[in-house]
Amino acid sequence: MVSKEHVQRLWTVGSYSDTIGPSFLSMAAHLVEAATVDADDRVLDIACGTGNVAITAARRGAQVTGLDITPDMLEDARENAAIAGVDDIEWREGDATELPFEDDAFDVTLSCVGHMFANPPDAASLELRRVTKSGGRIAFTSWTPRSVVPAMAKTLQEYLPPNPDASPPPFLWGDEEVVQERLNDGVSDVSFETGVVEQLSLSPSHSWEMIRSQSGIFIVALEDVDEDDYPALSEDMIATIEEYFDDSQNTVSMEYLITTATVD
Ligand SMILES: C[S@@+](CC[C@H](N)C(=O)[O-])C[C@H]1O[C@@H](n2cnc3c(N)ncnc32)[C@H](O)[C@@H]1O
């Protein structure tokens, strides 16, 4: 089991808040829309990061709580909320597998490429349902297993030492069958839709340069790659990204799955 300090480091190094977080804004809006958040709702945003979903929901008039394990993310979320002029969001530090809230505390519980990183996944799944009232909605996004981020993770894996203690891949939350199994109890009306984040980039090499220098998860993992293997890894990564690159738009397509369900 990885420590809380290790998880916090993954999301603190690099500069997620300045570049990566803002590129996911359309997915946040899609999630809030899919969950039909309105002004009467008490909403929880799990693994809220810099506040994309929490602030989008608060701008609809909902009463919002944002929770994240990483204090630096929460600091940036507070700043974003102040700029957006929504000052009544409650920000809490905590773990998605052990939420510091009573049963049935929320009408809508959301997570945008967030709770997918919590371990063990079954605990995250139970907590999502526990804090949502009967008749309330849960909705979350994950990269689909065929999407660019899992493809890059697979390429990276080939250059890392084997890790027998590795957690299940987070992207299983983007696989409809696995999600059905994980939500098999206590919810109904499970439905799925996909969406795409189009990340602007001048070339596949620029995209890799951005990720290797700014994404904490990749920065930390690259510390375990043999220096001599680095040029081959870079070449493979650029070839992987190329598969998702649209030259007519200068974008990398990042496909995600939205799951929505009603709590029984
Ligand atoms: C890819 S970011 C997504 C942030 C935000 N939801 C967004 O849409 O931009 C993943 C977030 O999950 C948080 N996180 C990772 N593991 C967590 C856990 N076990 N409990 C709560 N938050 C967690 C990280 O701190 C980070 O802010």
Side-chain angles (χ1 to χ4, degrees):
M1 197 64 152
V2 293
S3 68
K4 178 171 100 171
E5 289 68 29
H6 180 76
V7 174
Q8 289 174 334
R9 180 165 180 255
L10 295 178
W11 298 102
T12 302
V13 299
S15 60
Y16 183 91
S17 305
D18 296 332
T19 46
I20 301 174
S23 71
F24 298 159
L25 282 166
S26 61
M27 176 168 44
H30 190 179
L31 179 63
V32 170
E33 184 66 25
T36 63
V37 170
D38 69 28
D40 297 328
D41 288 325
R42 291 164 304 162
V43 174
L44 172 63
D45 177 12
I46 299 176
C48 63
T50 57
N52 286 356
V53 167
I55 293 165
T56 306
R59 281 175 39 76
R60 288 185 170 214
Q63 185 191 322
V64 181
T65 301
L67 171 132
D68 202 281
I69 202 167
T70 309
D72 281 26
M73 287 282 188
L74 291 168
E75 205 173 296
D76 290 334
R78 279 193 191 91
E79 254 176 50
N80 281 331
I83 293 168
V86 285
D87 49 17
D88 53 354
I89 300 177
E90 186 190 355
W91 301 104
R92 293 282 292 269
E93 188 181 325
D95 192 316
T97 60
E98 218 174 329
L99 294 171
F101 306 112
E102 309 258 296
D103 295 358
D104 308 326
F106 299 97
D107 302 300
V108 184
T109 303
L110 305 173
S111 193
C112 188
V113 289
H115 93 305
M116 62 181 281
F117 293 104
N119 272 298
D122 286 345
S125 178
L126 278 174
E127 283 295 86
L128 195 65
R129 282 169 282 167
R130 180 185 67 75
V131 300
T132 312
K133 73 167 195 194
S134 171
R137 285 102 70 205
I138 58 174
F140 51 83
T141 70
S142 164
W143 306 119
T144 61
R146 60 174 176 251
S147 185
V148 62
V149 182
M152 291 176 67
K154 188 162 172 272
T155 301
L156 177 63
Q157 209 61 47
E158 287 161 21
Y159 291 87
L160 292 174
N163 177 5
D165 301 328
S167 315
F171 319 110
L172 290 176
W173 281 111
D175 178 322
E176 295 182 18
E177 264 180 45
V178 175
V179 174
Q180 288 278 14
E181 276 166 30
R182 288 180 178 171
L183 296 180
N184 73 349
D185 204 15
V187 298
S188 42
D189 307 328
V190 179
S191 73
F192 300 106
E193 60 181 293
T194 53
V196 176
V197 166
E198 300 288 3
Q199 193 161 61
L200 290 166
S201 186
L202 190 50
S203 71
S205 308
H206 280 80
S207 181
W208 172 232
E209 179 59 25
M210 189 274 282
I211 290 158
R212 61 142 218 97
S213 62
Q214 295 176 26
S215 162
I217 282 206
F218 278 87
I219 292 171
V220 172
L222 288 168
E223 291 168 359
D224 290 332
V225 172
D226 191 314
E227 225 173 273
D228 293 342
D229 289 340
Y230 203 85
L233 164 71
S234 285
E235 211 175 287
D236 281 356
M237 277 296 187
I238 292 163
T240 301
I241 297 167
E242 184 95 54
E243 302 277 309
Y244 299 86
F245 198 82
D246 180 348
D247 289 306
S248 71
Q249 307 277 337
N250 276 348
T251 52
V252 180
S253 283
M254 306 176 76
E255 186 188 61
Y256 57 88
L257 181 74
I258 298 189
T259 301
T260 54
T262 306
V263 175
D264 292 341

